[in-house]
């Protein structure tokens, strides 16, 4: 294919407690809850979406909320860390903010960038990376001053036994560019995208215990397709190369194709459109439960099984 993947669309993980998840990602990290809906494949559980003020691709962290889910084990083959980008000068603010909220934070540097490492209440591994000029909208209206606010993803880290076959997929098929190595970590960046949501780090961990699915674990990472035509082309290419790929699936806010890359991590190709304003005005995002048309007749039944949640009020407070 002549087209290349422009970067990360979203990352989806698992939480055992939707309310604690909302409080952390909205009130601590300052991301906007842009959609409260259900898992279309498991409608008795919530699917939470966070992002910038309208949930632009490259800013979207999502969670399957499975109450009481056992804690998963983080290890290969998984996305074992998800990183967010902030202006380089904002790291001192974030270090103090997280420590003031009793979040254990470790400071390090990698590929010439300063990094804060920590975990959410489920144990999901996260990072905040200081970027010189994160190319993104400045999110306003949340609890974080705009000059310090998260701009979107910096990237993800894949942990696997080896790296060669995954590297070939990233470079030869998806169009990522090799950016060097740091020990057992190899960096790739989406071609033509030097900034937001562009980095895939690949950590070679042949002796690490295998990961297991559960709370605190990333379920999959999605990469962007600008439109349905390019998504169909990508699906055709993936199948031609011998991978099993799902049919195109309508997720209401984007269309999805799923496949497992050579190391075993679940990848998704997701369209940029129609976006989270498909069924709500921008000012109303995240304020009530939204259901796809096929589930709307069951709203009353779902209300009886879904936990009651206290939702954040976007724009109601400041740090």
């Amino acid at each position: 294919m002549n087209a290349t993947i422009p970067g990360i669309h979203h990352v989806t993980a698992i939480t055992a407690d939707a309310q604690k998840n909302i409080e952390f990602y909205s009130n601590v990290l300052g991301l906007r809850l842009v959609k409260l809906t259900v898992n279309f494949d498991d409608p008795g559980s919530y699917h939470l979406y966070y992002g910038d003020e309208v949930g632009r691709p490259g800013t979207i962290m999502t969670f399957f909320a499975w109450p009481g889910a056992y804690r998963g084990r983080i290890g290969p083959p998984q996305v074992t860390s998800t990183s967010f980008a902030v202006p380089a000068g904002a790291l001192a603010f974030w270090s103090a903010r997280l420590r003031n909220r009793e979040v254990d934070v470790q400071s390090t540097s990698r590929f010439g960038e300063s990094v804060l490492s920590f975990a959410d209440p489920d144990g999901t591994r996260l990072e905040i990376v200081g970027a010189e000029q994160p190319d993104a909208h400045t999110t306003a209206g949340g609890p974080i001053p705009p000059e310090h606010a998260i701009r979107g993803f910096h990237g993800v880290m894949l942990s696997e036994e080896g790296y060669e076959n995954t590297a070939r997929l990233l470079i030869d098929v998806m169009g990522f560019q090799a950016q060097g190595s740091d020990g057992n970590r190899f960096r790739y960046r989406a071609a033509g995208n030097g900034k937001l949501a562009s980095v895939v780090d690949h950590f070679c961990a042949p002796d690490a215990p295998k990961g297991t699915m559960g709370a605190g674990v990333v379920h999959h990472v999605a990469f962007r397709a600008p439109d349905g035509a390019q998504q169909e082309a990508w699906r055709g290419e993936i199948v031609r190369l011998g991978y099993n790929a799902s049919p195109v699936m309508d997720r209401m806010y984007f269309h999805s194709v799923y496949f497992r890359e050579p190391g075993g991590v679940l990848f998704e190709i997701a369209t940029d459109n129609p976006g989270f304003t498909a069924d709500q005005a921008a000012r109303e995002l995240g304020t009530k439960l939204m259901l796809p048309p096929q589930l709307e007749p069951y709203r009353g039944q779902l209300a009886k099984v879904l936990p009651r949640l206290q939702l954040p009020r976007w724009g109601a407070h400041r740090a």
Side-chain angles (χ1 to χ4, degrees), residues 30-84:
L31 301 179
R32 186 180 188 183
L33 180 68
V34 293
K35 195 64 61 179
L36 174 68
T37 186
V38 295
N39 185 330
F40 294 178
D41 301 319
D42 178 21
S45 61
Y46 285 116
H47 193 170
L48 310 172
Y49 291 83
Y50 306 92
D52 67 6
E53 64 270 24
V54 294
R56 293 177 178 88
T59 74
I60 310 160
M61 186 84 183
T62 101
F63 287 88
F64 298 143
W66 294 336
Y70 288 108
R71 180 71 65 90
R73 183 170 65 202
I74 298 173
Q78 291 175 358
V79 173
T80 52
S81 183
T82 302
S83 59
F84 298 101

Side-chain angles (χ1 to χ4, degrees), residues 5 7-9 170 174 176 200 221-225 267-270:
I5 293 290
I8 296 167
H9 185 281
L170 290 171
M174 299 173 69
F176 280 69
V200 173
V221 56
F223 296 92
R224 294 175 59 187
F267 277 11
E268 176 183 348
I269 306 293

Side-chain angles (χ1 to χ4, degrees), residues 76-213:
Q78 291 175 358
V79 173
T80 52
S81 183
T82 302
S83 59
F84 298 101
V86 300
L91 284 184
F93 168 89
W94 279 105
S95 179
R97 181 176 179 82
L98 292 169
R99 289 190 170 96
N100 286 342
R101 284 155 178 77
E102 299 183 344
V103 177
D104 185 27
V105 182
Q106 304 296 321
S107 300
T108 187
S109 62
R110 188 184 307 125
F111 293 100
E113 298 168 326
S114 297
V115 181
L116 300 177
S117 300
F118 56 102
D120 75 3
D122 287 292
T124 310
R125 293 179 184 170
L126 304 171
E127 294 179 338
I128 290 177
V129 178
E132 288 302 322
Q133 291 180 323
D135 184 15
H137 296 267
T138 300
T139 299
I144 309 299
E147 65 271 22
H148 298 311
I150 288 171
R151 302 303 203 254
F153 292 122
H154 178 268
V156 296
M157 183 175 76
L158 313 179
S159 292
E160 299 181 336
E161 290 182 346
Y163 72 94
E164 293 90 349
N165 291 334
T166 299
R168 279 195 288 270
L169 174 70
L170 290 171
I171 296 171
D172 296 343
V173 180
M174 299 173 69
F176 280 69
Q177 298 173 344
Q179 297 277 296
S181 62
D182 184 352
N184 284 357
R185 183 190 292 255
F186 302 85
R187 172 156 291 186
Y188 307 92
R189 192 180 294 274
N193 182 353
K195 299 175 183 177
L196 183 68
S198 62
V199 169
V200 173
D201 281 354
H202 196 193
F203 186 68
C204 187
D207 299 322
K210 296 281 188 180
T212 59
M213 199 54 63

Side-chain angles (χ1 to χ4, degrees), residues 271-292:
T271 56
D272 284 357
N273 292 320
F276 294 99
T277 56
D279 59 355
Q280 281 182 297
R283 66 181 180 279
E284 297 173 350
L285 292 175
T287 59
K288 62 181 179 180
L289 178 66
M290 303 301 294
L291 297 174

